[in-house]
Amino acid sequence: DTAVSQTPKYLVTQMGNDKSIKCEQNLGHDTMYWYKQDSKKFLKIMFSYNNKELIINETVPNRFSPKSPDKAHLNLHINSLELGDSAVYFCASSQDPGGNSYNEQFFGPGTRLTVL
Amino acid sequence: QKEVEQDPGPLSVPEGAIVSLNCTYSNSAFQYFMWYRQYSRKGPELLMYTYSSGNKEDGRFTAQVDKSSKYISLFIRDSQPSDSATYLCAMSSLRDDKIIFGKGTRLHILP
């Protein structure tokens, strides 16, 4: 009954490979996000999509490409993996509240990526 | 200066003590102030949020925002070992979707 799910939970791969992480939410939310949490626990937004449209694109290398086939899914594809890409990647989703209402984000369990 | 500063800890306190966690920030446009709790190997989950200045209480947890000092706090009363986690402060400006997180403070409640 997980609200925001991610696969895989762990991903170990060699430098230079291409990999994808999948995210699905069953909350009916309009907006989805990808965050990166580094070894020092610093959580930083990478992308957000609203109804399949890219809204936020922080200064992330273009080796990272998000893809949203529908508003319940936001996948992250990473080309030419580098050692510095090792981190935990979190997917999140939120309802679009409109007006001044607060926009609570619900996080998935994370995907721990290790690049060797 | 980073937008949000938070002492990473670790902070160890005995069970039953009052815990005080704090963050400072530099962006005066921030209007929403949140505290997320993250257990080891899990995603963050929202604990409390406050809009603009003031206090908010929820059970053993109290969030305070002082916009004049750009300082926010989370107090935990009667702390329990189950409160052991990393606590991340987070902020966003009105109508802005982007949340800026602090680095998180690791808290250990000792039985």
Side-chain angles (χ1 to χ4, degrees):
Chain A
D1 225 28
T2 308
V4 182
S5 58
Q6 296 178 227
T7 53
K9 194 168 181 180
Y10 299 96
L11 185 53
V12 181
T13 189
Q14 299 286 335
M15 237 175 19
N17 284 350
D18 303 337
K19 290 292 178 187
S20 291
I21 307 172
K22 295 186 176 181
C23 178
E24 177 181 1
Q25 55 94 4
N26 62 7
L27 296 166
H29 287 167
D30 295 312
T31 306
M32 296 185 72
Y33 312 80
W34 277 109
Y35 285 85
K36 179 180 180 181
Q37 189 171 46
D38 62 25
S39 58
K40 295 185 178 178
K41 296 287 191 182
F42 189 42
L43 189 65
K44 191 167 182 190
I45 191 164
M46 300 172 69
F47 302 101
S48 81
Y49 268 73
N50 180 278
N51 276 320
K52 303 196 296 174
E53 185 181 337
L54 181 65
I55 302 298
I56 293 174
N57 183 352
E58 290 296 291
T59 48
V60 176
N62 57 14
R63 297 182 295 104
F64 290 78
S65 52
K67 286 195 169 43
S68 182
D70 55 62
K71 76 172 196 177
H73 296 84
L74 181 62
N75 303 323
L76 184 65
H77 189 76
I78 315 171
N79 288 329
S80 303
L81 277 154
E82 300 177 357
L83 294 176
D85 298 332
S86 296
V88 181
Y89 291 85
F90 286 99
C91 177
S93 73
S94 68
Q95 186 60 287
D96 185 4
N100 298 334
S101 299
Y102 171 59
N103 189 23
E104 179 178 357
Q105 295 185 17
F106 294 81
F107 284 79
T111 295
R112 187 171 293 272
L113 171 64
T114 303
V115 182
L116 304 174
Chain B
Q1 183 186 8
K2 286 189 168 48
E3 275 194 289
V4 179
E5 300 268 13
Q6 183 176 10
D7 186 337
L11 178 63
S12 297
V13 299
E15 184 176 354
I18 295 174
V19 175
S20 171
L21 304 168
N22 312 294
C23 288
T24 58
Y25 63 95
S26 59
N27 188 347
S28 56
F30 288 143
Q31 294 280 3
Y32 291 98
F33 303 90
M34 296 143 269
W35 287 95
Y36 279 81
R37 179 175 59 196
Q38 185 176 19
Y39 290 113
S40 181
R41 308 244 167 195
K42 300 283 186 189
E45 54 180 352
L46 182 68
L47 199 57
M48 297 182 71
Y49 83 90
T50 310
Y51 171 68
S52 196
S53 279
N55 294 357
K56 189 172 185 178
E57 190 173 319
D58 183 1
R60 297 184 295 110
F61 298 87
T62 300
Q64 285 185 355
V65 174
D66 181 349
K67 290 190 74 179
S68 61
S69 304
K70 295 192 176 68
Y71 187 87
I72 71 169
S73 302
L74 177 71
F75 297 96
I76 308 174
R77 289 184 299 282
D78 187 24
S79 54
Q80 306 293 313
S82 59
D83 296 329
S84 298
T86 296
Y87 290 79
L88 302 113
C89 63
M91 307 172 190
S92 67
S93 59
L94 198 62
R95 298 180 187 274
D96 187 351
D97 203 26
K98 191 167 71 174
I99 295 179
I100 307 298
F101 283 85
K103 286 194 172 186
T105 300
R106 282 189 297 138
L107 174 65
H108 299 290
I109 306 298
L110 307 169

